[in-house]
Amino acid sequence: MRGYLGIDVGSVSTNIALMDEQEQVIENLYLRTQGQPIRAVQKGLDYIRNRIPADMEIGAVGTTGSGRHLASIVVGADSVKNEITSHAVASSKLVPDIQTVLEIGGQDSKIIILRNGVVADFAMNTVCAAGTGSFLDQQASRLNIPIEEFGPIALKSTTPVRIAGRCSVFAESDMIHKQQMGHNLPDILAGLCEALVRNYLNNVGKGKEILGPVMFQGGVAANVGIKRAFEKALATEVIIPEHYGVMGALGAAILAGEAVKKTGQTNFKGFGIAEEEFSTLSFECGDCPNLCEVIEISAQDKVLARWNDKCGKWSNSILKKQKVGEEAC
Amino acid sequence: MPVKIGIPRALLYYNYFPLWNGFFKALGIEVKVSSRTTKAVLDKGVKQAVDDACLPVKLFFGHVIDLRDSGVDFLFIPRMVSVERKAYICPKFLGLPDMVRHNIPDLPQIIDVTVNMSRNEKNLFKALAGAGKQLGKSGFAIRKAFKRGIEEQERFHRLNRLGFLPHESIEQMENGLLDQNFPPNLSREMTIALVGHGYNIYDQYISMNLIEKLRQMGVNVVTPDNLVDDLIEERSGELPKRMFWTLGKRMIGSAFHFMRSDHIDGIIHVASFGCGPDSFTGEIIERHLRRKRRVPLLNLTIDEHTGEAGVITRLEAFVDMIQWRRAAQ
């Protein structure tokens, strides 16, 4: 039996999903990246290795997320795809007639509009990360409540307070103000959920035609308060998939499976890489005034890849199958 | 030794360089263009410029400093008020010579003639004649040089219509590119229109090499500069009120044309962060597109950040989306 592995290396979390040939999820994992993407990938692989069914071998590996290129070098990926395509693939496999996908992650939020199973439009948050998971995390810890209880507490609210959602700095001062006035915690949290949703719909979802069925995924989908705020704002039911946290990874696994169908074999380097020592090095190339910050990754003194140079001098200087920055499939 | 005049490779360089170059050369003046944008050039500009200027203006400062350090006798920074009847260039261009003069020390003499064609198109000659006089040239020589400049500008426009992009046309006129397999806009699988200010999209550094990235993905790139002015003017007439920003009007008019063309698979609107006119050209284009809903649109905002990951993710997803849509048809 063959299994397909999808790895989504995001800014805040690294998610891994393992599925079988029938595209059923066998194992999934949501890890904090903690600024060490390679370490997180290795940890994740180690976890999967111990839980993989005995008769299963890895038939394909796909990576996605902002660290997809780095991860693809480490694991030997068959497909490297951006997170928008990956999320869309996973959602439309799950609910074929899906028309809207809302995704809120650690620092990214996106909206994907699908029509007839095809992406028709998408948008991502711009320079500002207001109203993403990191902000909720931060507020939860400021109020001294575990993030897991955030949603359930918000649900108890009867009259959510109005909180400015445009900017998380304003939102925070507004929240403190409302606290000092004596509003209770559930109302403040529910107000925050509504502010976040309002901000998302105004910024990311600006001008988009949001039609049902609507799916909500990404780490923040764990928060039932946000789900309810979306349902209230959109006046429609919002579906949260079972594996909402790893949908990007699932999409990557599906895409990898398709890529391997074409090439016939996987590039996966095996679970042994979990023990391998990878080191990265960055240096400023001083050969021209561009001063590119070149990144180099190596395993046991062997340079695997270099990238981030504008002229290609460093990235082309080592023989390898593919240049980082180009899609593998 | 001939007098040396410096022209910064920024802002309206991408629109009018052939005119200026042809004019000064015919007067027997050596034209020195600043070097291509690099991190060092941008850094210098950002350090010296007023804080709330947009990125392209800050970059212009960097190019001025580059010219100052390379030792030119004069700097040509015309005050571009208007280049056509009853339409204007952005106010930042009106104050450009003054901003430069008061923020950068030790500058050579600045030739800052005012070009204002809003009432009378002959004003262009008057402006350049003023520049010629400051350089001590005779009326006869100036008239001859002006004719030469106009010829060069017309040649530039012809090359652009052939499918060269302005920076390539300039290269072609200066050094000749025809024998190096240009124009490059041939036999690619899809065509995307890049709609944005020339100084944002043709500068390889601040656009993060957008054009080359798209070409590497197999995309043919067209821009407003490939279109005839009359067409842009006619299409922009669809707005309920005539737009009085020349550059914004060019973006909207060409976007209106591209959204109807059968040869265009997608439109990318490139705006620089903090640009007033860009913020609503993008919005107007998006609204009109939504009524037709045929051509996909992507909004890209560029600013000082050099993290390419965000741009690459969006471009890849956009190209994927177009391919996916096609496969579904």
Side-chain angles (χ1 to χ4, degrees):
Chain A
M1 191 169 66
R2 293 219 282 193
Y4 301 140
L5 203 55
I7 304 174
D8 179 352
V9 184
S11 51
V12 175
S13 69
T14 294
N15 316 322
I16 302 192
L18 175 68
M19 57 178 210
D20 61 16
E21 279 166 295
Q22 283 72 48
E23 292 174 352
Q24 293 303 310
V25 180
I26 296 175
E27 197 64 64
N28 71 79
L29 179 62
Y30 189 95
L31 282 172
R32 296 257 161 180
T33 308
Q34 289 172 326
Q36 295 178 300
I38 298 176
R39 193 67 221 116
V41 169
Q42 288 180 311
K43 249 178 22 202
L45 286 179
D46 191 44
Y47 176 90
I48 296 284
R49 172 171 50 186
N50 297 327
R51 277 164 185 77
I52 189 167
D55 57 339
M56 180 175 272
E57 57 169 328
I58 299 299
V61 184
T63 61
T64 185
S66 49
R68 60 186 179 276
H69 295 302
L70 184 63
S72 78
I73 306 262
V74 173
V75 299
D78 300 299
S79 85
V80 188
K81 260 295 177 226
N82 62 78
E83 48 271 39
I84 295 167
T85 307
S86 302
H87 275 283
V89 165
S91 315
S92 62
K93 273 270 157 63
L94 202 63
V95 181
D97 63 341
I98 194 82
Q99 299 218 74
T100 308
V101 178
L102 317 168
E103 200 268 348
I104 306 185
Q107 285 193 1
D108 259 354
S109 50
K110 39 185 132 3
I111 185 166
I112 307 169
I113 305 288
L114 294 105
R115 292 291 179 267
N116 307 318
V118 173
V119 179
D121 203 355
F122 67 84
M124 280 174 85
N125 58 337
T126 47
V127 274
C128 172
T132 53
S134 304
F135 173 64
L136 288 179
D137 249 6
Q138 194 194 334
Q139 291 313 317
S141 71
R142 197 179 63 80
L143 295 168
N144 209 10
I145 50 168
I147 188 74
E148 294 76 21
E149 284 168 30
F150 192 119
I153 296 177
L155 283 190
K156 287 183 201 143
S157 159
T158 45
T159 43
V161 295
R162 180 155 179 114
I163 286 172
R166 171 65 67 200
C167 167
S168 51
V169 178
F170 296 165
E172 181 166 344
S173 46
D174 217 13
M175 273 170 63
I176 294 174
H177 184 66
K178 295 278 151 70
Q179 254 173 276
Q180 309 299 58
M181 286 188 19
H183 288 282
N184 66 20
L185 189 62
D187 285 348
I188 291 174
L189 291 184
L192 185 64
C193 291
E194 287 185 2
L196 203 146
V197 163
R198 205 163 50 232
N199 186 37
Y200 174 92
L201 293 175
N202 283 338
N203 273 329
V204 184
K206 183 187 67 166
K208 303 272 181 279
E209 199 184 4
I210 299 176
L211 300 176
V214 178
M215 195 183 270
F216 176 30
Q217 58 201 42
V220 175
N223 189 321
V224 284
I226 302 279
K227 174 182 187 266
R228 194 180 68 167
F230 265 123
E231 286 178 334
K232 197 168 152 191
L234 297 173
T236 175
E237 194 208 345
V238 171
I239 308 166
I240 295 190
E242 189 190 345
H243 302 288
Y244 59 85
V246 297
M247 291 297 273
L250 278 179
I254 296 170
L255 288 165
E258 283 168 9
V260 166
K261 261 176 214 145
K262 276 182 213 150
T263 59
Q265 62 170 32
T266 178
N267 296 326
F268 184 48
K269 292 182 183 167
F271 284 107
I273 49 176
E275 279 82 45
E276 223 167 308
E277 278 294 317
F278 290 95
S279 55
T280 56
L281 173 85
S282 67
F283 57 93
E284 205 174 61
C285 165
D287 294 356
C288 84
N290 268 330
L291 307 177
C292 297
E293 291 153 10
V294 185
I295 301 153
E296 183 182 280
I297 173 167
S298 36
Q300 277 111 27
D301 301 327
K302 196 172 147 265
V303 179
L304 295 175
R306 292 194 189 104
W307 63 92
N308 217 22
D309 47 341
K310 285 190 198 296
C311 66
K313 182 173 75 188
W314 295 99
S315 45
N316 294 335
S317 65
I318 26 177
L319 279 175
K320 57 184 161 55
K321 273 170 275 173
Q322 106 209 39
K323 202 178 133 191
V324 175
E326 282 168 17
E327 298 295 45
C329 58
Chain B
M1 218 178 86
V3 175
K4 220 193 257 181
I5 193 163
I7 297 181
R9 193 191 294 268
L11 296 180
L12 295 179
Y13 163 88
Y14 296 100
N15 300 62
Y16 297 109
F17 176 72
L19 168 66
W20 301 337
N21 185 40
F23 175 74
F24 288 120
K25 270 194 178 155
L27 285 176
I29 291 164
E30 194 184 322
V31 174
K32 164 99 180 134
V33 183
S34 55
S35 40
R36 287 179 202 286
T37 306
T38 58
K39 194 167 157 189
V41 171
L42 181 63
D43 280 352
K44 281 183 208 158
V46 170
K47 235 177 256 171
Q48 291 287 342
V50 279
D51 179 54
D52 61 348
C54 58
L55 184 68
V57 167
K58 289 179 181 167
L59 182 64
F60 187 88
F61 275 62
H63 282 278
V64 169
I65 295 169
D66 182 74
L67 283 171
R68 179 195 70 185
D69 297 344
S70 73
V72 291
D73 306 305
F74 293 95
L75 272 174
F76 184 60
I77 309 180
R79 190 186 305 276
M80 303 295 282
V81 178
S82 161
V83 294
E84 59 178 338
R85 278 184 161 268
K86 293 192 175 158
Y88 297 86
I89 306 281
C90 163
K92 278 173 189 152
F93 289 77
L94 270 69
L96 196 58
D98 308 308
M99 277 200 281
V100 167
R101 191 175 283 130
H102 295 290
N103 282 297
I104 307 178
D106 311 319
L107 285 178
Q109 190 186 332
I110 296 177
I111 296 182
D112 63 343
V113 291
T114 302
V115 177
N116 184 354
M117 295 157 72
S118 70
R119 296 236 170 99
N120 189 346
E121 295 191 353
K122 291 206 176 101
N123 180 278
L124 181 63
F125 173 72
K126 215 172 117 192
L128 283 180
K133 280 197 194 103
Q134 283 186 46
L135 293 161
K137 302 293 170 183
S138 74
F140 176 69
I142 289 172
R143 267 195 300 280
K144 238 175 85 180
F146 181 71
K147 209 175 139 222
R148 182 83 196 109
I150 294 289
E151 279 167 15
E152 287 286 291
Q153 185 71 14
E154 281 168 356
R155 207 177 132 215
F156 171 64
H157 286 305
R158 278 197 299 277
L159 286 171
N160 290 346
R161 306 288 118 78
L162 282 175
F164 285 94
L165 298 179
H167 61 297
E168 292 158 357
S169 298
I170 293 171
E171 195 64 30
Q172 149 79 16
M173 291 166 74
E174 293 295 293
N175 306 319
L177 274 177
L178 270 184
D179 35 27
Q180 296 171 28
N181 295 327
F182 267 69
N185 286 349
L186 289 168
S187 68
R188 286 173 207 255
E189 53 175 308
M190 67 172 79
T191 303
I192 289 180
L194 266 190
V195 177
H197 293 304
Y199 45 79
N200 284 333
I201 55 181
Y202 304 130
D203 187 293
Q204 289 175 358
Y205 191 85
I206 60 169
S207 73
M208 301 192 192
N209 221 355
L210 193 56
I211 292 171
E212 272 317 303
K213 283 200 173 93
L214 283 168
R215 283 179 178 164
Q216 275 166 17
M217 293 179 196
V219 174
N220 186 6
V221 177
V222 295
T223 71
D225 294 295
N226 298 127
L227 301 179
V228 195
D229 290 349
D230 290 345
L231 181 68
I232 294 180
E233 184 69 40
E234 189 192 314
R235 290 295 190 213
S236 67
E238 287 171 25
L239 286 176
K241 177 174 174 284
R242 188 172 177 274
M243 196 166 175
F244 52 84
W245 300 121
T246 296
L247 301 178
K249 189 174 70 182
R250 287 183 62 80
M251 286 159 69
I252 289 185
S254 48
F256 284 3
H257 168 74
F258 289 136
M259 69 176 79
R260 285 195 185 78
S261 166
D262 289 334
H263 306 294
I264 303 294
D265 300 291
I267 299 177
I268 300 181
H269 175 255
V270 182
S272 46
F273 186 74
C275 175
D278 272 0
S279 66
F280 64 84
T281 51
E283 184 70 30
I284 292 174
I285 292 169
E286 194 164 356
R287 287 187 183 192
H288 276 254
L289 255 177
R290 225 163 278 292
R291 281 175 215 158
K292 310 261 179 327
R293 225 190 207 303
R294 204 191 71 80
V295 184
L297 174 79
L298 174 70
N299 268 315
L300 274 187
T301 307
I302 57 169
D303 199 22
E304 219 181 292
H305 43 44
T306 48
E308 297 195 349
V311 171
I312 294 175
T313 296
R314 286 164 177 81
L315 288 182
E316 281 176 1
F318 192 64
V319 170
D320 274 353
M321 175 171 90
I322 291 170
Q323 276 165 347
W324 203 354
R325 275 185 160 199
R326 260 203 203 155
Q329 269 166 13

